[in-house]
Amino acid sequence: MILYGCAVWAVPFGISLFFFTPSGELKTDVFLFKSIMILSAGSTGAGLMLSHLGRQTSDWSRHGLIAGCAWLLINWGLDFVILLPLSGETLDVYFMRTGMRYLALPVTGWTMGAAMTRTARAAGD
């Protein structure tokens, strides 16, 4: 779960490196960049959450919520240590531009888990 949480942060961060010059300037339109970051983070998070929940045998909603909350804290922590010093943003600007988006992690985990629980109940498991 912890390695997946780090991967949810590392994959979009790695992709983002292709969009900056060595001096730290963005090479493309800021809105295109943000869209790519949202898509890469969302798809990475969803795929890893599906993999994580697939390893569980029951109580998927709880496991999804716990993993989502853990990943939220991991991603905030990595941003505080790596992204904030690079960007020079203040905490309030960071949360408005980036940090709030990570709240999708526990929501995604819980809803995926709820869907898996409903599917198992409908199948009679």
Side-chain angles (χ1 to χ4, degrees):
M1 180 175 62
I2 292 172
L3 287 175
Y4 279 5
C6 292
V8 167
W9 183 88
V11 169
F13 182 77
I15 291 169
S16 77
L17 296 176
F18 293 102
F19 291 90
F20 287 91
T21 65
S23 62
E25 293 180 43
L26 188 61
K27 295 180 192 178
T28 188
D29 176 73
V30 67
F31 296 109
L32 173 63
F33 173 73
K34 291 286 186 180
S35 294
I36 290 169
M37 290 299 94
I38 291 168
L39 286 170
S40 65
S43 58
T44 300
L48 291 175
M49 184 60 74
L50 189 60
S51 175
H52 171 70
L53 291 176
R55 294 182 170 149
Q56 310 306 315
T57 57
S58 65
D59 209 7
W60 296 283
S61 295
R62 185 174 137 280
H63 287 289
L65 183 60
I66 290 169
C69 288
W71 296 1
L72 169 70
L73 295 175
I74 289 167
N75 279 256
W76 278 345
L78 289 169
D79 275 1
F80 292 166
V81 171
I82 297 169
L83 187 61
L84 278 175
L86 288 174
S87 71
E89 292 177 332
T90 62
L91 279 178
D92 59 332
V93 170
Y94 161 77
F95 275 106
M96 286 188 288
R97 291 184 179 173
T98 306
M100 294 290 291
R101 293 179 181 155
Y102 291 124
L103 292 172
L105 291 166
V107 172
T108 300
W110 182 80
T111 54
M112 253 191 210
M116 292 175 78
T117 299
R118 285 184 185 181
T119 300
R121 284 183 188 151
D125 292 343

